[in-house]
Amino acid sequence: TVRFVIRGFDMKILERSLNIAHQLHVNRLTQAHHIYSFIFDKNELVSIGQNNMLTPNKKAYDIGLKYNIQHFKDYSFLHSEMDSIGKLANKRKITGKEHLVVIRLDYKFQTKLAKPCKNCSEVIKAFGFKNIHYTDNNQWCSMSYKDIT
């Protein structure tokens, strides 16, 4: 069970994200852990992303070029945040008012730390996301792009 610690936010979005992550995770139990990202515009789910650390990805490489992130140019594996942001950016403009939810599940379906890495944080900041929520060992945490250093 994940403990909720975020106040002033519709917890149904986080519960819905966790339920979808559990459904997706059933098919991915060959990896020790897996990370899922969800973007909501108000209460509407507008994008889902999954990490892929097994196969290099052109989209990750292109993000590295566009935002000058050397790590993505050198190690072009797709992080879930980049997958969900890239899918949404291809469909419509990202306003920054959306909620980005990041969930990491281990092989026992337990939530683990899913705070975006430094490189993903740079892209999240560039898009101006004001609402970022992530799991951290059976609890939820929240931050804004302004909290990214």
Side-chain angles (χ1 to χ4, degrees):
T1 303
V2 176
R3 186 168 57 104
F4 298 103
V5 294
I6 302 170
R7 291 177 171 72
F9 174 70
D10 185 357
M11 298 308 294
K12 290 180 183 176
I13 288 175
L14 300 180
E15 291 170 3
R16 183 172 172 206
S17 299
L18 190 58
N19 287 335
I20 295 169
H22 277 112
Q23 292 169 10
L24 294 170
H25 199 57
V26 169
N27 298 322
R28 303 197 63 118
L29 294 177
T30 56
Q31 297 178 359
H33 69 272
H34 201 74
I35 302 174
Y36 305 90
S37 294
F38 306 89
I39 300 176
F40 288 86
D41 188 353
K42 298 185 174 135
N43 289 329
E44 179 187 356
L45 179 61
V46 293
S47 186
I48 298 175
Q50 300 181 48
N51 68 328
N52 181 348
M53 304 309 282
L54 303 175
T55 309
N57 183 283
K58 183 177 178 348
K59 189 187 306 182
Y61 181 78
D62 290 344
I63 289 169
L65 288 177
K66 182 173 183 176
Y67 294 99
N68 196 28
I69 300 173
Q70 192 62 43
H71 178 81
F72 286 155
K73 291 188 262 184
D74 295 339
Y75 306 99
S76 57
F77 297 100
L78 191 61
H79 291 204
S80 68
E81 301 93 329
M82 297 304 90
D83 190 26
S84 60
I85 290 170
K87 286 176 181 175
L88 184 58
N90 286 336
K91 291 193 289 189
R92 67 170 179 85
K93 184 179 187 313
I94 296 175
T95 66
K97 294 179 182 177
E98 299 86 356
H99 289 264
L100 174 64
V101 179
V102 188
I103 297 171
R104 178 178 175 184
L105 295 174
D106 69 10
Y107 69 98
K108 294 181 181 178
F109 289 79
Q110 299 297 307
T111 59
K112 300 295 179 187
L113 178 61
K115 184 176 182 180
C117 72
K118 177 182 179 260
N119 300 308
C120 289
S121 293
E122 288 181 32
V123 176
I124 290 167
K125 189 173 186 174
F127 277 99
F129 278 89
K130 293 173 184 61
N131 305 291
I132 305 143
H133 314 283
Y134 59 92
T135 56
D136 184 2
N137 297 323
N138 294 321
Q139 71 178 11
W140 288 102
C141 298
S142 186
M143 67 180 184
S144 167
Y145 75 93
K146 294 176 186 175
D147 299 325
I148 297 171
T149 56

